[in-house]
Structures are given as structure tokens and as C-alpha cells.
Amino acid sequence: MIDVLTGNKNREAFELRINDLIQEDQKFTLLLTSIDKFATINDFYGHGCGDRVLVIVGQALEEIENLEVFRFSGSQFVVLILSQEMADIDFTIHEIRRCIRLKRLVHHIKADLTVSIGISQSTPSASIENYYNQLNLALRYARSEGKGETRFYNEEFEKKLFSEMALREDIDKAMRHDEFELYMQPLYHLDKRTVMGFELLLRWPGRNRIDLNIGEIIESAEKSGQIMALDKWVVTHAFKLIKEYKRIFSDKKICINISAQSFLTYDFLKFYLREEERYAIDPNLIEIEITEYSMMHNLKRTIRMMMIYKSRGIQFSLDDFGTKYSSINYLKELPFDTLKIDKSYIDSICEDSKSKAIVKIILDLCRELGLSTISEGIETVEQEILLKQMGCDFGQGYYFDKPMPITDLIQRVS
Ligand code: C2E
Ligand code: CA
Ligand code: CA
């Protein structure tokens, strides 16, 4: 019942010990301790080094008084203390972190050794399976907060995790069964009051009306990695619509929102170009909307990808400008064609002189740089008039039209 590599007790020993404690009605606390980024240590320094780290951490834990150590799989150790006092738990966490830091210095380990800790405490009638489950959830909770964090098992977190998992499954199912829809919001020339194009916006009727808005769904898909599949779904269905309703779309711009996570991959590029050919789409009609926030970590790569699309005639607009880390530098570095001024500025443009001043500067700058401008979220005639006076080229918003399904759009134009 000894772990061959580290010499700590193993999982079998753990189960025997816990079953004994359950029978004796003993109170205890379990700390699932896991080395952060252990896979990176293995990849970077080799498995020999990874093994050495495990042995050193296993030893370090054994040196702490008043606890028992068990090695689980991979980089996970479980520490058992026969107490539920906060002071004892705090002391144990402190000692675990201190010993590991010390060992790292003594053994000259280059890797940054930190551990995440998930905690579960004994409760009457809980089984060993309950403890495994709680420890894993608590560790996930700690990891979700970053490196070197500690979290207790928490029912709220468990519920949140389950609803996230359920949402992921629902999104997969909705993509398979085409439960999503694309709505269209017209973009207007502010001086001529004619439709210049449409922004395509995703809708999930089954959920949007009940509990979630599309922004939350996109955010969840970005977190889970499903966004690539969702963005591909949007591209295919957008192209299908354009092909089917040539009469409406022939000379209009179609703006598609794409997440940076997808946009920055060659996989998505290949998919996009294949679909473009399959549906015989004129690339000059398409404008891809991306947010500047999503690209700031990878400016060079963003420029490279944009240039590939642009060489084929596709245009780009910079979405949500004015929010988060908006930097004028992006306007200089990145080959955008259009800039979209965020709704938050338009909302207050008539009352707040500061918003108005900022929008004016953005519009002047865009004119100098040769970028066209779209104001989003225009809701009143006053906003429209002011933006037109200030020289904004295009506008969209509830004042003109709400996003609508293709059936409504057909009625509007016929
Ligand atoms: P966004 O790209 O900034 O889209 C504009 C949002 O403002 C849309 O919300 C639109 O319905 C809303 N809007 C337009 N005019 C008005 C107005 O006058 N008043 C108000 N209150 N709102 C207005 P929506 O459709 O809920 O989309 C939210 C966000 O979700 C989008 O923000 C975009 O970031 C993301 N999104 C939507 N569709 C897609 C998609 O197909 N793919 C990706 N990757 N993201 C999408
Ligand atoms: Ca957009
Ligand atoms: Ca926007």
C-alpha cells in the first residue's frame, strides 16, 4: 500500500483509513493538493524531472507534523488531518506551501512550484465516493481562481459547474439540430437613409426567451472551446442565406461577428474559404467584425490572419470600439476598414458632453485614417441627427430596426 515512486501511502491505504474513520465517527479534513502546471514541468524539463518533483513534494508533505499523506494519481496528494478547526486547517495549508517552497530552493528546481488545494470536511453519513467527488470539485474551484489557490467544497460551485456542463451539452445539441437562427439588423447610410448592409446576430430562440441572452451563450462557448464550432455554424448558415436570398443581399454588405479564438486559427480560415467557394460567395460583400480586446495578446498574428482574408477581398470592422482597452495604436497597426463606436457612447451622446467629445475625436481620427464609421445602438432621432452632423457614416439601432429573422426582412423589402 505504498506508492512505488514517492514512498507515500497510496490510494488503497487512503480508502482503508477513511473507511475506518467513517466507522469510528471521527471528524477529519481532507486537502487534495495538486502541483500546478505539472504537465508543463514534464514537457519542459522531461519526465525524469517531473518524477523528481513528485518525490520531493511527497517528502516535503511527510515532514509536516500532525498529518497523513497519500499519493493519488499524477501530481495529486491527499493530506488528512484529524481536525476541523480553522486554525489547524490554516496552519496545515501554510506549512504545505512553506515546505514546498523550501524544497524547491534546496533542490534548485527551476520550475515555478505552486500547489492548488481543494478541501473537503467529514460530515455524518458521507461516503468515500462523496469525499472523492467533493475533493475534485473543490480542486476545480481552486484552479478556476488561478494558480496557488485554496477552496473548500461548496455546493453553490457544484451547482454552477453542473449548469455550465448542461449548457455545453445543450449548445452541442442545438448546433446538431440547427436550433440556432441568424437575425439581421440593417445598417443605414446616415445621410441617405438607405440600407448599406446587415449585421448578422445569432439567436437561440429556445433559450433566449427563457433564461439567457446571446452574449452569455457566446461567453460560455468561448470558455468551453465550443465557439469555433459555433462560429463555423454561423458562417455556413450566413452563406446559405446569402445564396438563397440573392435578391436581397446582392449589393449589400454582410457583417459577421467572429470570435478571436476562431479567427486566429488556420483551421477556421480553411473552413471559411471552403464554405465561401461552396456557396459561391462574393468575398467583397463580407465584413468580419472582431473586437479589439480579443486580439491585443497577439497583434502580429492578428495582422497576419487579417492580411490573408483581406487579400481575397474580405473587409474588417473593429467592434465595440471605446470599451475595455481601446487603444489608438490598434487603429494604426491593424488593417481595419471600419470602426464601430460602442453603444455605451451613443447612449449618452446627447446628454454627456464628454461622451460627445470622445465620439467626435474618434470620428475625426477615422476620417484622417480613411476608416469608415458605424454607430451602434442608435435609439433616438436626436442621436441620429447629432451623429450625422458629426460626420459618422453609418448607423444601426432600434431607432431604425431591431434585429429580425429573414422572414420579417423579406416582408420589409418586398
Ligand atoms: P455586438 O456585436 O456588439 O452586437 C450588437 C448588439 O447590440 C446586439 O446584441 C444587438 O441586438 C444589440 N443592439 C443593436 N441595436 C440596439 C439598440 O438600439 N439598443 C439596444 N439596447 N441594443 C441594440 P445581441 O444580438 O444580444 O448580441 C450581443 C453580442 O453577442 C454581440 O455584440 C456579439 O459580441 C455577440 N454575438 C452575437 N451574434 C454573434 C455571432 O454570430 N457570433 C459571435 N461570435 N458573436 C456573436
Ligand atoms: Ca458586432
Ligand atoms: Ca458591437
Side-chain angles (χ1 to χ4, degrees):
M1 288 198 286
I2 296 292
D3 179 65
V4 187
L5 176 67
T6 62
N8 299 110
K9 284 184 220 149
N10 64 13
R11 189 189 275 260
E12 211 182 331
F14 171 78
E15 294 197 357
L16 285 175
R17 180 78 173 114
I18 296 301
N19 279 327
D20 283 350
L21 293 175
I22 292 173
Q23 301 254 302
E24 291 162 15
D25 259 343
Q26 262 274 10
K27 280 189 177 170
F28 58 86
T29 300
L30 298 167
L31 298 92
L32 178 58
T33 304
S34 180
I35 302 167
D36 294 322
K37 305 261 180 236
F38 185 66
T40 318
I41 298 178
N42 271 334
D43 290 348
F44 240 78
Y45 301 102
H47 284 257
C49 176
D51 284 353
R52 210 158 58 85
V53 166
L54 289 173
V55 173
I56 288 164
V57 169
Q59 276 173 8
L61 296 173
E62 294 282 1
E63 283 167 20
I64 306 169
E65 285 181 2
N66 292 327
L67 52 73
E68 295 167 53
V69 183
F70 304 86
R71 178 175 175 227
F72 276 25
S73 52
S75 72
Q76 297 190 344
F77 296 84
V78 171
V79 168
L80 162 70
I81 58 173
L82 296 179
S83 161
Q84 294 194 337
E85 297 294 325
M86 232 12 249
D88 294 334
I89 298 170
D90 260 0
F91 177 76
T92 307
I93 294 168
H94 179 263
E95 282 299 286
I96 291 173
R97 299 201 186 284
R98 190 182 67 81
C99 286
I100 290 174
R101 226 175 11 247
L102 210 68
K103 289 283 174 185
R104 182 187 155 206
L105 295 180
V106 172
H107 292 270
H108 307 293
I109 295 171
K110 290 193 197 79
D112 182 19
L113 269 195
T114 59
V115 289
S116 298
I117 302 174
I119 302 178
S120 160
Q121 295 190 297
S122 61
T123 46
S125 79
S127 67
I128 192 135
E129 277 73 32
N130 294 139
Y131 293 126
Y132 276 139
N133 187 35
Q134 292 188 1
L135 284 172
N136 282 324
L137 283 164
L139 184 63
R140 274 183 88 157
Y141 187 16
R143 287 238 157 104
S144 71
E145 302 285 321
K147 276 188 347 180
E149 293 288 331
T150 302
R151 287 293 179 276
F152 281 75
Y153 163 74
N154 163 314
E155 229 171 278
E156 284 301 302
F157 179 76
E158 182 170 6
K159 277 194 201 137
K160 198 176 130 220
L161 207 67
F162 275 119
S163 74
E164 275 174 19
M165 267 159 40
L167 179 58
R168 276 175 210 179
E169 282 174 23
D170 288 352
I171 291 176
D172 273 340
K173 227 177 345 173
M175 277 190 283
R176 276 200 308 275
H177 298 145
D178 280 349
E179 287 171 25
F180 289 106
E181 275 182 47
L182 283 176
Y183 274 38
M184 273 136 255
Q185 188 176 33
L187 309 169
Y188 283 85
H189 280 279
L190 287 181
D191 52 357
K192 292 185 276 182
R193 255 305 185 96
T194 52
V195 173
M196 168 275 269
F198 303 93
E199 176 173 6
L200 300 193
L201 292 157
L202 194 63
R203 291 292 177 268
W204 187 5
R207 294 297 285 268
N208 291 155
R209 285 190 204 114
I210 304 165
D211 55 349
L212 292 169
N213 62 45
I214 205 68
E216 291 168 310
I217 291 157
I218 299 286
E219 207 175 296
S220 164
E222 283 178 340
K223 231 169 106 182
S224 68
Q226 289 167 302
I227 192 64
M228 171 85 97
L230 203 52
D231 281 338
K232 285 180 177 176
W233 189 97
V234 169
V235 166
T236 301
H237 287 78
F239 290 176
K240 266 188 192 163
L241 281 175
I242 298 170
K243 191 170 175 193
E244 195 174 339
Y245 299 98
K246 266 208 173 86
R247 191 171 56 83
I248 300 176
F249 296 122
S250 61
D251 56 344
K252 301 284 187 290
K253 185 143 276 171
I254 303 294
C255 303
I256 308 178
N257 293 283
I258 303 291
S259 281
Q261 255 186 62
S262 316
F263 177 71
L264 292 177
T265 66
Y266 284 98
D267 176 26
F268 186 80
L269 171 71
K270 257 189 356 220
F271 176 86
Y272 182 95
L273 296 178
R274 209 179 53 221
E275 295 296 89
E276 187 188 85
E277 199 181 318
R278 184 169 152 206
Y279 292 98
I281 300 298
D282 175 0
N284 297 297
L285 293 182
I286 307 294
E287 186 151 300
I288 294 179
E289 296 194 5
I290 38 183
T291 57
E292 127 274 6
Y293 171 63
S294 52
M295 311 163 313
M296 55 182 225
H297 301 297
N298 220 330
L299 210 60
K300 274 202 184 123
R301 178 140 185 199
T302 307
I303 296 172
R304 203 163 56 231
M305 294 309 282
M306 283 176 81
M307 291 315 287
I308 300 174
Y309 285 87
K310 279 187 79 85
S311 69
R312 305 185 57 89
I314 298 146
Q315 296 193 315
F316 283 92
S317 58
L318 177 51
D319 207 351
D320 300 343
F321 193 77
T323 60
K324 301 225 167 103
Y325 303 94
S326 299
S327 159
I328 292 176
N329 193 38
Y330 296 124
L331 299 185
K332 194 176 103 209
E333 299 290 334
L334 293 160
F336 279 103
D337 304 280
T338 307
L339 179 143
K340 297 190 80 167
I341 303 173
D342 193 67
K343 178 176 181 303
S344 54
Y345 284 95
I346 310 305
D347 280 346
S348 53
I349 195 170
C350 292
E351 299 82 38
D352 179 2
S353 57
K354 284 186 186 164
S355 290
K356 187 176 162 189
I358 291 171
V359 171
K360 182 163 189 319
I361 285 176
I362 295 175
L363 290 172
D364 290 348
L365 185 65
C366 286
R367 205 171 305 118
E368 291 296 320
L369 294 174
L371 284 164
S372 61
T373 45
I374 303 183
S375 294
E376 334 178 280
I378 299 180
E379 291 182 346
T380 66
V381 65
E382 291 80 14
Q383 290 167 346
E384 184 206 6
I385 293 169
L386 187 57
L387 285 160
K388 195 160 64 178
Q389 275 171 3
M390 288 164 81
C392 180
D393 302 312
F394 308 105
Q396 73 184 109
Y398 293 177
Y399 172 64
F400 304 107
D401 296 291
K402 284 195 170 180
M404 61 187 105
I406 184 75
T407 41
D408 291 8
L409 190 71
I410 293 167
Q411 277 185 354
R412 278 289 305 268
V413 296
S414 59

